[in-house]
Each structure stands twice: as structure tokens, then as C-alpha cells.
Amino acid sequence: MAVDGSIYGAVAAATAVVLALYLIAGVSRWAGRDGLTGLAPILLVALGVRLAVAGFCELVPALRVVRGPDEAGFESQARALADGRLSFGLLRGLVGNLHIEYMSWQIRIFGGTTDFFLRVGNIALAVTAIAVLAITVTRLVGPAWGRLAAWGLAFEPSSLFFSTILHKEASMYLGEALVVYGCVRMHQRRDVRSAVAMVAGVVIADGARPYAAGALLAACGLTAGHAALRRLGPDGRRSPTLFGIVATLAVLALVGGAAVSGRLLDGLQRSQQANASDGSNLSLAPVDFSTPAGIAVNLPRRVFDVSLRPFPWQVANTNQWLGAFGSCVAWALIAAAAVLVLRRRTLALARLPALAYVFACLLVTYALTTGNAGTGFRYRSHLIVLLVLVVASMSPRGLGSLPDRLPRLRSRRAPIARAAS
């Protein structure tokens, strides 16, 4: 029976991989219609690398612990949903538990006793997110940088690892990618497809982390308000109607937030106390988020923690080795993005508003909800993805012109080389 179960699990995993390949083919065709050709091989590499990481962690028992304890609970809930022992209901299933519902439907379809095919399903979401983000960079600076951004995201270590675990991260990557695409498109074109992408991304994110979905919704509002005030289109018009809608929704959100602010602050402080007092050596110093004044004073400290911790010398176990390596990558990207933005401020103002809104809203939200550096490391993987996009988007002329310039440079060197000989 065990052998039969293993064979069936292998067949289920192989079937999931085949479906993921079909998904890559469809997404690549979409990218081609948006001007980004040659994406399919990069997505295949991204899929292969993630499958290899998932398989390696499965084969090495010492590495299984780095996935954390939460995924066992999520998988157990998904299996209980699949066989009818648990029911969330429609609203609870779509808000905060969509990742569990997603896995439960995979179990209903494939069955199987192993969990590898569930990891393939999460990896498929993450690879789709890479494609959406590459298309976004293409809209900003051209297809060559879009492909380069896809390569960077394919091998970025923290998102590579977290997309293979049975957690909320893969769903969040896809939701954030759709929001980023919609915001960039809204800033450029102010059309209906932008709004559809933004709404779809917020809905997916709300299914995983409602508080992060709130941050993404705020970023969408800021982007739409900014786009409404820009002169776009052949006639260079602004959009007072769009600005009025955004302003009305913002007022309603502020009124609603003020009405429940006491409960939100109490919940935020309880979460901080629980996570910052768990006794681990990655716990962050407790802070006071129980009042607006406390948030104003202590938020910069948590922003620093989420951006830079865990430090490379915090290497007491395997998890912290991974966190330290991720921190080094994060520091390098933060430094590169800061230098590029400061040196090319005019270009940054033209290209980065939408990315800046999403990054700022997510950074503040994740800083408010982080109580230990381990969780912060997982949250930071979403911010690192945006930093990759910022670095890729800051070429002075767009890297789309670089492949065209290289043949000309070689042709100019050829006469010099002949003359020298």
C-alpha cells in the first residue's frame, strides 16, 4: 500500500508539473502580446529551480525544519476541507484562507498521500507572478529589461525558497504582481484593464492576508488619484471623475478606520507582544503600537528591522543561515536602488510612482505586523521583489536599447582593430 501511495503521489506531482507547463505556455503568449518575447525559457528555468529546491528540502531531513511549523497546519486544514471534516463557509474561505481552499481543491482533484504536488501548485502561482512582473518592467523600460528582471526574480533566493512552502507567500506574490501591473498600467494609460488587474490582485491578496490587501488597496487608491491628475492620452486630459471616486472612497475608508481604530490598535499591540516575547533569539525588542503616537514613534524602528534584519551574524541554526544570506541580498538591492534613485531623480519621478506607492504601503504594513526577525525575513521577500523591479526600471534609456547598441559597438571596434594590426 505504501508503494502504491508513493506511485500515485509521483503521478499526481507529474500531472501538476504538466499543468504548470501549460500555464507557462499561456502566460508566455500573453507576454508576447504585450511585447515581451522569449519569456518561456526563463519561466521554465524558474519552475525547474523551484522544483529542485522543493525536492532537495524533501530529501534532506535536516532541511525540512526550515519550512516552519505553519505549513503542517495549513496542509492539515486543506486535507480536512477536502474530505469534509472542516468547512470555512464562503466568506471565511475567501478572506484569509484562500491558500487553504486552493490546496484543498488540489487534493480533491489529485488525491495523493504526498504533499509535493501541492508545492507544485504554489510554485505555479509564483512563476506566474514572475511573468506578470516581467511584463510590468517591459511596460516601463522595454523587453530586454523585462527578461533581465525575470532572470533576477527566477533566482532571487528568498522568494525562490518561500514559493516552495505550503504557506501564504505564493498567493501573495501573485496578488502583489497583479496590483503592481495594474498600478503601473494605470499610471501610464488610465484604462479599465488597469482597474481590473488591481482589483484581481487585491482580491487574491485578501484571500491570503487581509491586512496586506488593505495596504495594496491603499496603494491602488494613491496610484489612481495620481493618474487622475496626470495629463494622459492624445488630448492630454486629466480625469476629475476618477479623482472624485478615489477621494470619496478615501473619505469613507478614513471614517470606517476611525470607527474601528480602537480595536485595530488593541489587536496590533497584542500581536506585537506575542511575537516579540516568544523567547527566540530572533525576537525583536517590544514596541508600543497601542496609540497613534506610539506608532509614529516606533514605526521607523520596525521599518529598520524589516528592511535589514536578521543580521548576517545571527547564525545559530539553519533558518538563520538562510535569513543571513537573504539579508545580504536585501542590503545589496537596497543600496543599488537608493543609488540609482538618487542619481536619476528625474527618471525616478517619471517611472517609479506606482512602484513607490506599492512598496511604501507594504513596507509600513509589514513593519506594523512584524514581531520577530524570522517573520520579517519572510515578509521582506515581498519587498525584495519590488526592489528588483526598481533596479530594473532605472536604466537611463531603458535596457531595451542595450542589445541594439552592442552590435554597433562591435562594428565600430572592428575598423580600429584592423588599423592597429
Side-chain angles (χ1 to χ4, degrees), residues 43-343:
L43 298 182
L44 289 174
V45 171
L47 175 67
V49 172
R50 280 156 177 76
L51 291 175
V53 169
F56 185 68
C57 290
E58 195 69 25
L59 292 173
V60 181
L63 292 178
R64 294 176 189 172
V65 297
V66 303
R67 292 168 171 166
D70 289 341
E71 75 161 19
F74 290 145
E75 183 183 358
S76 176
Q77 288 180 294
R79 294 191 180 277
L81 277 175
D83 61 23
R85 291 180 289 114
L86 178 67
S87 176
F88 284 142
L90 179 61
L91 181 60
R92 190 180 166 202
L94 296 178
V95 178
N97 294 296
L98 185 61
H99 61 298
I100 300 176
E101 292 279 2
Y102 174 62
M103 289 191 291
S104 74
W105 279 105
Q106 293 178 72
I107 294 171
R108 290 186 181 102
I109 295 171
F110 293 109
T113 57
T114 66
D115 60 10
F116 195 80
F117 70 97
L118 296 176
R119 301 188 191 281
V120 176
N122 276 16
I123 290 170
L125 296 182
V127 172
T128 304
I130 291 174
V132 175
L133 293 171
I135 294 170
T136 303
V137 174
T138 298
R139 297 194 65 86
L140 288 169
V141 288
W145 270 112
R147 287 187 289 270
L148 191 60
W151 280 117
L153 294 170
F155 288 98
E156 195 284 305
S158 58
S159 58
L160 188 157
F161 171 74
F162 286 120
S163 62
T164 67
I165 66 175
L166 306 181
H167 215 292
K168 304 178 180 182
E169 311 315 318
S171 300
M172 284 301 304
Y173 291 141
L174 180 57
E176 289 160 355
L178 287 170
V179 167
V180 169
Y181 172 80
C183 286
V184 169
R185 186 183 176 99
M186 177 66 75
H187 188 257
Q188 292 177 333
R189 301 188 60 171
R190 205 167 56 203
D191 60 1
V192 175
R193 286 181 61 185
S194 308
V196 171
M198 292 158 73
V199 170
V202 170
V203 169
I204 293 173
D206 188 58
R209 292 195 178 103
Y211 56 87
L216 294 174
L217 187 61
C220 291
L222 291 170
T223 302
H226 189 163
L229 298 177
R230 296 187 71 206
R231 295 186 179 275
L232 296 176
D235 51 2
R237 290 184 179 180
R238 296 186 174 94
S239 178
T241 302
L242 177 60
F243 186 80
I245 293 173
V246 171
T248 302
L249 294 176
V251 170
L252 293 175
L254 290 173
V255 171
V260 298
S261 60
R263 283 184 296 168
L264 290 175
L265 291 173
D266 289 342
L268 192 62
Q269 186 59 27
R270 286 196 300 270
S271 174
Q272 276 294 318
Q273 288 298 120
N275 286 298
S277 307
D278 61 2
S280 73
N281 63 336
L282 286 182
S283 294
L284 301 173
V287 294
D288 178 20
F289 283 162
S290 61
T291 63
I295 290 177
V297 171
N298 294 301
L299 180 59
R301 181 177 185 176
R302 276 294 187 261
V303 168
F304 174 86
D305 292 334
V306 171
S307 302
L308 302 179
R309 297 183 70 172
F311 297 126
W313 50 86
Q314 292 178 311
V315 289
N317 54 46
T318 306
N319 300 54
Q320 293 171 24
W321 273 109
L322 293 173
F325 181 66
S327 291
C328 293
V329 174
W331 293 1
L333 284 170
I334 290 170
V339 169
L340 288 171
V341 169
L342 290 174
R343 291 186 61 184

Side-chain angles (χ1 to χ4, degrees), residues 340-394:
L340 288 171
V341 169
L342 290 174
R343 291 186 61 184
R344 301 165 182 169
R345 292 182 292 275
T346 302
L347 194 62
L349 289 174
R351 289 182 183 167
L352 299 185
L355 291 177
Y357 292 139
V358 178
F359 183 86
C361 290
L362 282 179
L363 176 60
V364 170
T365 299
Y366 283 140
L368 289 173
T369 53
T370 296
N372 63 75
T375 301
F377 171 52
R378 179 157 46 85
Y379 288 168
R380 191 179 61 203
S381 68
H382 302 273
L383 302 173
I384 289 177
V385 166
L386 295 176
L387 288 174
V388 171
L389 264 65
V390 169
V391 172
S393 302
M394 288 304 294

